[in-house]
């Protein structure tokens, strides 16, 4: 019997990531045949440019399904089997605020962690929850909600707290796996990484190659120390001290003051400014009717291997594969020291019923303490995004490991709310 095709709706389909996503979909038709792909985005110009290139890539790859784009969420979500969320409320302009406003208060400027990450969560969580509620009503029975929108840990926590059929996803683990495979000179898919923590607060505690029980991290620290130091942002001495390779985002905690000092230098450009320029160039290239492949410049956009991770996740959920992937899901006892309902990011068996976390070794006190601290903040961030209460925003900032002082938390709360007023109707109902 031929494979029954499925419908995938991409929320934020006008993203410059989308051509890479659709290209990856063609690589996994052995496990997941998509016959209806819808790009949902409010920006008509983006829909036209991104949708046009996506269509050309798909036809060149021999894809026989239907691609459409729309600004109507009801039409996009109707009958969907998978909803992939990669939206950005407020675009790069709002991100620029996340990355610059906190710096004036002596705090890290970043779009997923610290005060900027909270601002993004306040803008994002209500919209994503509304989309999930619509998916539950309009999507096919058993539809999956796959979130790649940052801050992934907070957004996924909100989704699962409300009982949605959702899995969170980040590209950090698959990127690290590929870099380690490169340094080891082996097929990266054969590298098993012991990845554990919260989204953007994770460590790789061991790396083993296929058929071996030998941890290769100590060897990599000796042989590729400068490269790993550069890519992680953490001094090699700390990598050796912790006997682990942290994700790049961990250096914002370990070297907060140095990072803020760098961001405070006159003329410092935010990542949002760089990405905005890059996206303008990419969108112009996408409009070229002769372009039928991903342009080389897309590799500089960031989010490397996100598309591969997203499509692999959907394919495993659809085909009931039961393979191991790193995703964001309920802890359910996998990471000792955290409650079952807490969303963690670690290895899981992925099958048709969802992602099932694999038991992890206990974290040592230095890592566990930071993870517990950050998880408390994440739970308060969800509460603030849902309640529309200034007091809840202050509470979340007080619990945030990168803020944690008063009256700083109160001053930052007022500044963030004022800067994002247009995107926060729950806080400003009038």
């Amino acid at each position: 019997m031929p494979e029954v095709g499925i419908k995938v709706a991409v929320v934020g389909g006008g993203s410059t990531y989308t051509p890479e996503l659709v290209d990856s979909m063609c690589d996994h038709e052995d496990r997941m045949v998509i016959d209806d792909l819808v790009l949902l985005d409010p920006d008509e110009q983006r829909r036209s440019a991104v949708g046009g290139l996506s269509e050309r890539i798909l036809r060149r790859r021999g894809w026989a399904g239907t691609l459409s784009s729309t600004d109507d969420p009801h039409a996009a979500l109707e009958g969907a089997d998978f909803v992939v969320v990669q939206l950005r409320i407020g675009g790069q302009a709002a991100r620029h605020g996340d990355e610059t406003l906190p710096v004036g208060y002596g705090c890290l400027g970043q779009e997923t962690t610290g005060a900027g990450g909270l601002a993004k969560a306040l803008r994002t969580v209500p919209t994503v929850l509304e989309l999930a509620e619509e998916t539950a009503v309009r999507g096919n029975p058993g539809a999956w909600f796959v979130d790649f929108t940052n801050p992934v840990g907070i957004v996924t926590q909100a989704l699962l707290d409300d009982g949605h059929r959702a899995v969170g996803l980040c590209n950090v683990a698959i990127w690290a796996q590929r870099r380690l495979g490169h340094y080891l000179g082996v097929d990266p898919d054969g590298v098993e990484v012991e990845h554990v923590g919260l989204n953007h607060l994770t460590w790789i505690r061991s790396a083993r190659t296929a058929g071996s029980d030998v941890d290769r991290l100590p060897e990599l620290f000796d042989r590729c120390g400068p490269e790993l130091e550069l890519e992680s942002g953490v001094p090699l001495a700390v990598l050796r001290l912790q006997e682990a390779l942290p994700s790049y985002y961990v250096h914002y905690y370990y070297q907060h003051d140095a990072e803020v000092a760098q961001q405070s230098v006159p003329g410092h450009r935010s990542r949002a400014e760089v990405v905005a320029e890059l996206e303008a160039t990419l969108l112009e290239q996408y409009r070229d009717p002769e372009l039928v492949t991903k342009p080389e410049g897309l590799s500089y956009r960031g989010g490397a291997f996100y598309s591969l991770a997203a499509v692999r996740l959907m394919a495993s959920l659809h085909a009931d594969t039961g393979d191991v992937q790193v995703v964001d899901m309920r802890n359910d006892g996998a990471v000792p020291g955290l409650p079952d309902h807490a969303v963690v990011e670690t290895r899981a068996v992925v099958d048709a019923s969802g992602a099932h976390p694999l038991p992890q070794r206990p974290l040592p006190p230095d890592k566990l303490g930071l993870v517990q601290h950050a998880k408390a903040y994440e739970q308060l961030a969800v509460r603030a995004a849902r309640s529309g209460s200034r007091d809840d925003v202050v509470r979340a900032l007080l619990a945030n490991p990168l803020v944690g002082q008063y009256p700083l938390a109160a001053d930052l709360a007022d500044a963030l709310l004022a800067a994002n007023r247009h995107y926060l109707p729950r806080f400003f109902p009038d």
Side-chain angles (χ1 to χ4, degrees), residues 176-351:
Q177 180 195 43
R178 266 138 180 75
R179 294 305 297 161
L180 294 179
H182 167 74
Y183 292 133
L184 291 169
V186 301
D187 179 356
D189 286 328
V191 178
E192 179 183 297
V193 295
E194 184 187 359
H195 177 109
V196 62
L198 308 179
N199 177 245
H200 288 186
L201 184 57
T202 53
W203 296 264
I204 291 175
R205 305 172 69 191
S206 67
R208 294 177 170 83
T209 54
S212 172
D213 292 329
V214 177
D215 178 14
R216 304 292 294 275
L217 273 188
E219 169 196 337
L220 288 171
F221 290 162
D222 290 338
R223 188 157 54 84
C224 306
E227 293 90 343
L228 295 175
E229 180 178 85
L230 178 66
E231 292 175 354
S232 69
V234 175
L236 180 58
V238 179
L239 306 186
R240 296 186 189 280
L241 180 70
Q242 295 206 323
E243 300 179 326
L245 178 63
S247 78
Y248 178 78
Y249 295 87
V250 175
H251 94 275
Y252 292 129
Y253 295 86
Y254 291 170
Q255 297 177 287
H256 173 270
D257 292 354
E259 187 69 24
V260 172
Q262 182 177 336
Q263 293 179 347
S264 302
V265 173
H268 175 80
R269 300 188 72 207
S270 70
R271 176 64 180 165
E273 292 176 286
V274 175
V275 170
E277 291 181 2
L278 177 58
E279 284 196 331
T281 300
L282 286 172
L283 289 170
E284 186 62 32
Q285 293 175 343
Y286 289 3
R287 294 185 182 97
D288 179 0
E290 301 300 316
L291 184 66
V292 295
T293 59
K294 301 175 295 182
E296 183 179 347
L298 184 55
S299 63
Y300 302 110
R301 171 64 179 82
F305 304 111
Y306 142 64
S307 300
L308 177 60
V311 177
R312 282 186 174 182
L313 173 59
M314 289 190 289
S316 295
L317 290 168
H318 175 69
D320 196 24
T321 308
D323 56 328
V324 176
Q325 301 179 33
V326 173
V327 296
D328 289 78
M329 78 240 113
R330 278 175 52 99
N331 181 38
D332 287 335
V335 181
L338 292 174
D340 286 348
H341 74 273
V343 167
V344 297
E345 184 174 292
T346 192
R347 302 172 71 241
V349 174
V350 181
D351 58 26

Side-chain angles (χ1 to χ4, degrees), residues 24 136 155 160 169 210 236 330 335 355:
S24 292
V155 173
L160 295 181
L169 183 67
L236 180 58
R330 278 175 52 99
V335 181

Side-chain angles (χ1 to χ4, degrees), residues 10 12-22 39 41 45-47 49-51 53-54 57 86 88 92 95 271 275-287 294-295 297-302 306-307:
V10 181
S15 167
T16 51
Y17 284 127
T18 300
E20 185 172 79
L21 180 67
V22 301
L39 308 182
D41 200 284
Q45 292 188 344
R46 278 181 171 266
R47 291 200 310 273
V50 174
L53 176 57
S54 298
I57 289 173
Q86 55 179 25
R88 180 182 291 280
Q92 297 299 330
R95 175 181 181 172
R271 176 64 180 165
V275 170
E277 291 181 2
L278 177 58
E279 284 196 331
T281 300
L282 286 172
L283 289 170
E284 186 62 32
Q285 293 175 343
Y286 289 3
R287 294 185 182 97
K294 301 175 295 182
L298 184 55
S299 63
Y300 302 110
R301 171 64 179 82
Y306 142 64
S307 300

